[in-house]
Short mmCIF file of all heavy atoms in Angstrom, two decimals:
data_model
loop_
_atom_site.label_atom_id
_atom_site.label_comp_id
_atom_site.label_asym_id
_atom_site.label_seq_id
_atom_site.Cartn_x
_atom_site.Cartn_y
_atom_site.Cartn_z
N GLU V 361 104.75 88.83 89.11
CA GLU V 361 103.98 89.73 88.25
C GLU V 361 104.40 91.19 88.39
O GLU V 361 104.32 91.97 87.43
CB GLU V 361 102.49 89.59 88.59
CG GLU V 361 101.55 90.18 87.56
CD GLU V 361 100.14 89.67 87.71
OE1 GLU V 361 99.61 89.69 88.84
OE2 GLU V 361 99.54 89.24 86.70
N ASN V 362 104.88 91.58 89.57
CA ASN V 362 105.15 92.99 89.84
C ASN V 362 106.64 93.31 89.95
O ASN V 362 107.01 94.34 90.50
CB ASN V 362 104.46 93.42 91.14
CG ASN V 362 102.95 93.28 91.07
OD1 ASN V 362 102.36 93.39 90.01
ND2 ASN V 362 102.33 93.03 92.21
N HIS V 363 107.51 92.45 89.42
CA HIS V 363 108.94 92.64 89.64
C HIS V 363 109.62 93.54 88.62
O HIS V 363 110.80 93.87 88.78
CB HIS V 363 109.67 91.27 89.65
CG HIS V 363 109.99 90.74 88.28
ND1 HIS V 363 109.10 89.97 87.56
CD2 HIS V 363 111.09 90.88 87.49
CE1 HIS V 363 109.66 89.65 86.40
NE2 HIS V 363 110.87 90.19 86.33
N LEU V 364 108.93 93.95 87.59
CA LEU V 364 109.57 94.70 86.51
C LEU V 364 109.95 96.11 86.96
O LEU V 364 109.08 96.92 87.30
CB LEU V 364 108.66 94.77 85.29
CG LEU V 364 108.30 93.41 84.66
CD1 LEU V 364 107.31 93.60 83.54
CD2 LEU V 364 109.56 92.73 84.15
N GLY V 365 111.24 96.41 86.96
CA GLY V 365 111.72 97.73 87.35
C GLY V 365 111.31 98.06 88.77
O GLY V 365 111.49 97.29 89.69
N ALA V 366 110.73 99.24 88.93
CA ALA V 366 110.20 99.64 90.23
C ALA V 366 108.68 99.59 90.19
O ALA V 366 108.00 100.26 90.96
CB ALA V 366 110.68 101.05 90.57
N GLY V 367 108.17 98.76 89.28
CA GLY V 367 106.72 98.65 89.13
C GLY V 367 106.22 99.47 87.95
O GLY V 367 106.85 100.47 87.56
N ILE V 368 105.11 99.07 87.40
CA ILE V 368 104.53 99.77 86.25
C ILE V 368 103.11 100.23 86.61
O ILE V 368 102.24 99.39 86.90
CB ILE V 368 104.46 98.85 85.02
CG1 ILE V 368 105.86 98.31 84.67
CG2 ILE V 368 103.87 99.59 83.82
CD1 ILE V 368 105.86 97.29 83.56
N PRO V 369 102.86 101.54 86.64
CA PRO V 369 101.51 102.02 86.94
C PRO V 369 100.55 101.70 85.80
O PRO V 369 100.96 101.43 84.67
CB PRO V 369 101.69 103.52 87.11
CG PRO V 369 102.94 103.85 86.36
CD PRO V 369 103.82 102.64 86.44
N LYS V 370 99.27 101.75 86.09
CA LYS V 370 98.23 101.34 85.15
C LYS V 370 98.31 102.08 83.81
O LYS V 370 98.22 101.45 82.75
CB LYS V 370 96.84 101.56 85.77
CG LYS V 370 95.69 101.15 84.89
CD LYS V 370 94.35 101.39 85.58
CE LYS V 370 93.18 101.02 84.67
NZ LYS V 370 91.87 101.27 85.36
N GLU V 371 98.48 103.40 83.86
CA GLU V 371 98.49 104.19 82.63
C GLU V 371 99.65 103.76 81.72
O GLU V 371 99.49 103.64 80.50
CB GLU V 371 98.62 105.68 82.96
CG GLU V 371 97.48 106.26 83.78
CD GLU V 371 97.56 105.90 85.24
OE1 GLU V 371 98.63 105.41 85.69
OE2 GLU V 371 96.55 106.09 85.95
N GLU V 372 100.81 103.53 82.34
CA GLU V 372 101.98 103.11 81.58
C GLU V 372 101.80 101.69 81.05
O GLU V 372 102.23 101.38 79.93
CB GLU V 372 103.22 103.21 82.46
CG GLU V 372 104.53 103.08 81.70
CD GLU V 372 105.72 103.34 82.59
OE1 GLU V 372 105.68 104.34 83.34
OE2 GLU V 372 106.70 102.55 82.54
N ALA V 373 101.17 100.84 81.86
CA ALA V 373 100.94 99.45 81.44
C ALA V 373 100.09 99.41 80.18
O ALA V 373 100.36 98.64 79.25
CB ALA V 373 100.26 98.68 82.57
N GLU V 374 99.06 100.26 80.12
CA GLU V 374 98.20 100.30 78.93
C GLU V 374 98.99 100.71 77.69
O GLU V 374 98.81 100.14 76.61
CB GLU V 374 97.05 101.28 79.17
CG GLU V 374 96.01 100.78 80.17
CD GLU V 374 94.81 101.72 80.26
OE1 GLU V 374 93.88 101.57 79.44
OE2 GLU V 374 94.82 102.58 81.15
N LYS V 375 99.87 101.70 77.85
CA LYS V 375 100.68 102.15 76.72
C LYS V 375 101.62 101.05 76.23
O LYS V 375 101.96 100.98 75.05
CB LYS V 375 101.49 103.38 77.12
CG LYS V 375 100.65 104.62 77.38
CD LYS V 375 101.52 105.79 77.83
CE LYS V 375 100.68 107.02 78.14
NZ LYS V 375 101.54 108.14 78.62
N LEU V 376 102.05 100.19 77.16
CA LEU V 376 102.97 99.10 76.82
C LEU V 376 102.24 97.87 76.29
O LEU V 376 102.87 96.87 75.95
CB LEU V 376 103.80 98.73 78.05
CG LEU V 376 104.79 99.79 78.54
CD1 LEU V 376 105.35 99.40 79.90
CD2 LEU V 376 105.92 99.97 77.53
N GLY V 377 100.91 97.93 76.25
CA GLY V 377 100.13 96.81 75.74
C GLY V 377 99.86 95.73 76.76
O GLY V 377 99.44 94.61 76.40
N LEU V 378 100.06 96.05 78.03
CA LEU V 378 99.78 95.08 79.10
C LEU V 378 98.34 95.23 79.56
O LEU V 378 97.73 96.29 79.38
CB LEU V 378 100.73 95.32 80.28
CG LEU V 378 102.23 95.19 80.00
CD1 LEU V 378 103.02 95.57 81.25
CD2 LEU V 378 102.58 93.79 79.55
N PRO V 379 97.77 94.20 80.16
CA PRO V 379 96.42 94.33 80.73
C PRO V 379 96.37 95.54 81.66
O PRO V 379 97.30 95.74 82.46
CB PRO V 379 96.23 93.02 81.49
CG PRO V 379 97.09 92.04 80.75
CD PRO V 379 98.30 92.82 80.31
N PRO V 380 95.33 96.36 81.56
CA PRO V 380 95.29 97.64 82.29
C PRO V 380 95.08 97.50 83.80
O PRO V 380 93.96 97.39 84.28
CB PRO V 380 94.11 98.37 81.64
CG PRO V 380 93.22 97.26 81.14
CD PRO V 380 94.15 96.18 80.71
N ARG V 381 96.18 97.48 84.52
CA ARG V 381 96.13 97.51 85.98
C ARG V 381 97.51 97.91 86.50
O ARG V 381 98.47 97.99 85.73
CB ARG V 381 95.72 96.15 86.54
CG ARG V 381 96.78 95.06 86.50
CD ARG V 381 96.32 93.89 87.36
NE ARG V 381 97.34 92.92 87.67
CZ ARG V 381 98.31 93.09 88.55
NH1 ARG V 381 98.45 94.24 89.16
NH2 ARG V 381 99.17 92.12 88.81
N ASP V 382 97.60 98.18 87.78
CA ASP V 382 98.88 98.53 88.39
C ASP V 382 99.74 97.28 88.58
O ASP V 382 99.25 96.26 89.06
CB ASP V 382 98.67 99.20 89.75
CG ASP V 382 98.27 100.66 89.61
OD1 ASP V 382 98.67 101.29 88.62
OD2 ASP V 382 97.56 101.17 90.49
N TYR V 383 101.01 97.39 88.21
CA TYR V 383 101.98 96.33 88.47
C TYR V 383 103.06 96.92 89.39
O TYR V 383 104.23 96.99 89.04
CB TYR V 383 102.60 95.84 87.16
CG TYR V 383 101.58 95.24 86.22
CD1 TYR V 383 100.89 96.05 85.32
CD2 TYR V 383 101.29 93.88 86.22
CE1 TYR V 383 99.93 95.52 84.46
CE2 TYR V 383 100.35 93.33 85.37
CZ TYR V 383 99.67 94.16 84.49
OH TYR V 383 98.73 93.64 83.64
N ILE V 384 102.62 97.34 90.54
CA ILE V 384 103.49 98.01 91.50
C ILE V 384 103.76 97.08 92.68
O ILE V 384 102.82 96.57 93.29
CB ILE V 384 102.84 99.31 92.03
CG1 ILE V 384 102.49 100.25 90.87
CG2 ILE V 384 103.76 99.99 93.04
CD1 ILE V 384 103.68 100.83 90.16
N PRO V 385 105.02 96.83 93.01
CA PRO V 385 105.31 96.00 94.19
C PRO V 385 104.85 96.73 95.46
O PRO V 385 105.18 97.90 95.66
CB PRO V 385 106.83 95.84 94.16
CG PRO V 385 107.34 96.99 93.34
CD PRO V 385 106.25 97.29 92.35
N LYS V 386 104.08 96.04 96.29
CA LYS V 386 103.49 96.68 97.47
C LYS V 386 104.10 96.18 98.78
O LYS V 386 104.41 96.96 99.66
CB LYS V 386 101.97 96.49 97.48
CG LYS V 386 101.26 97.15 96.31
CD LYS V 386 99.75 96.96 96.41
CE LYS V 386 99.03 97.73 95.29
NZ LYS V 386 99.34 97.18 93.95
N THR V 387 104.26 94.88 98.92
CA THR V 387 104.81 94.37 100.17
C THR V 387 106.33 94.50 100.18
O THR V 387 106.97 94.69 99.13
CB THR V 387 104.45 92.88 100.37
OG1 THR V 387 105.13 92.09 99.38
CG2 THR V 387 102.95 92.67 100.23
N LEU V 388 106.89 94.40 101.36
CA LEU V 388 108.34 94.50 101.49
C LEU V 388 109.05 93.44 100.66
O LEU V 388 110.06 93.73 99.99
CB LEU V 388 108.73 94.37 102.97
CG LEU V 388 110.22 94.46 103.31
CD1 LEU V 388 110.82 95.76 102.80
CD2 LEU V 388 110.41 94.32 104.82
N GLU V 389 108.53 92.22 100.67
CA GLU V 389 109.15 91.14 99.91
C GLU V 389 109.12 91.41 98.41
O GLU V 389 110.10 91.16 97.69
CB GLU V 389 108.46 89.82 100.23
CG GLU V 389 108.73 89.25 101.61
CD GLU V 389 107.93 89.95 102.71
OE1 GLU V 389 107.02 90.75 102.39
OE2 GLU V 389 108.21 89.69 103.89
N GLU V 390 108.01 91.93 97.92
CA GLU V 390 107.90 92.28 96.50
C GLU V 390 108.92 93.35 96.13
O GLU V 390 109.59 93.28 95.09
CB GLU V 390 106.50 92.80 96.19
CG GLU V 390 105.39 91.76 96.24
CD GLU V 390 104.03 92.39 96.02
OE1 GLU V 390 103.75 92.81 94.89
OE2 GLU V 390 103.25 92.48 96.99
N LYS V 391 109.04 94.36 96.97
CA LYS V 391 109.95 95.48 96.70
C LYS V 391 111.40 95.01 96.69
O LYS V 391 112.20 95.43 95.85
CB LYS V 391 109.75 96.58 97.73
CG LYS V 391 108.41 97.28 97.62
CD LYS V 391 108.19 98.26 98.76
CE LYS V 391 106.81 98.93 98.65
NZ LYS V 391 106.56 99.86 99.78
N ILE V 392 111.75 94.14 97.63
CA ILE V 392 113.14 93.66 97.71
C ILE V 392 113.52 92.89 96.46
O ILE V 392 114.59 93.11 95.88
CB ILE V 392 113.33 92.80 98.98
CG1 ILE V 392 113.31 93.68 100.22
CG2 ILE V 392 114.65 92.01 98.90
CD1 ILE V 392 113.34 92.91 101.53
N VAL V 393 112.67 91.98 96.02
CA VAL V 393 112.99 91.19 94.83
C VAL V 393 113.05 92.08 93.59
O VAL V 393 113.98 91.96 92.77
CB VAL V 393 111.97 90.05 94.63
CG1 VAL V 393 112.23 89.33 93.30
CG2 VAL V 393 112.04 89.05 95.78
N ALA V 394 112.09 92.97 93.45
CA ALA V 394 112.08 93.86 92.28
C ALA V 394 113.37 94.69 92.22
O ALA V 394 113.99 94.83 91.16
CB ALA V 394 110.86 94.78 92.33
N HIS V 395 113.79 95.20 93.38
CA HIS V 395 114.96 96.07 93.35
C HIS V 395 116.26 95.29 93.25
O HIS V 395 117.24 95.77 92.66
CB HIS V 395 114.99 96.98 94.57
CG HIS V 395 115.85 98.19 94.37
ND1 HIS V 395 115.71 99.02 93.27
CD2 HIS V 395 116.88 98.71 95.09
CE1 HIS V 395 116.59 100.01 93.33
NE2 HIS V 395 117.33 99.83 94.42
N ALA V 396 116.29 94.09 93.80
CA ALA V 396 117.48 93.25 93.61
C ALA V 396 117.68 92.99 92.13
O ALA V 396 118.82 93.00 91.63
CB ALA V 396 117.30 91.93 94.37
N ASP V 397 116.60 92.80 91.40
CA ASP V 397 116.67 92.61 89.95
C ASP V 397 117.21 93.86 89.26
O ASP V 397 117.99 93.79 88.30
CB ASP V 397 115.28 92.26 89.42
CG ASP V 397 115.29 91.76 87.99
OD1 ASP V 397 116.26 91.09 87.60
OD2 ASP V 397 114.32 92.02 87.26
#
């Protein structure tokens, strides 16, 4: 859910038409996969 780019903050997610919440990778594993992408 949180792998897109370096994460999408809530305000930006709303503008993109996504459900309004943070899509920010928080754990080390989330960050590694997101950035490998």
Side-chain angles (χ1 to χ4, degrees):
E361 195 163 49
N362 299 331
H363 82 272
L364 298 175
I368 303 174
K370 181 179 178 180
E371 299 77 13
E372 192 173 314
E374 289 186 85
K375 293 178 182 178
L376 293 169
L378 300 175
R381 75 168 194 75
D382 282 330
Y383 298 87
I384 304 292
K386 296 182 176 66
T387 68
L388 180 56
E389 289 78 10
E390 290 176 70
K391 292 174 181 178
I392 288 174
V393 173
H395 201 51
D397 192 33

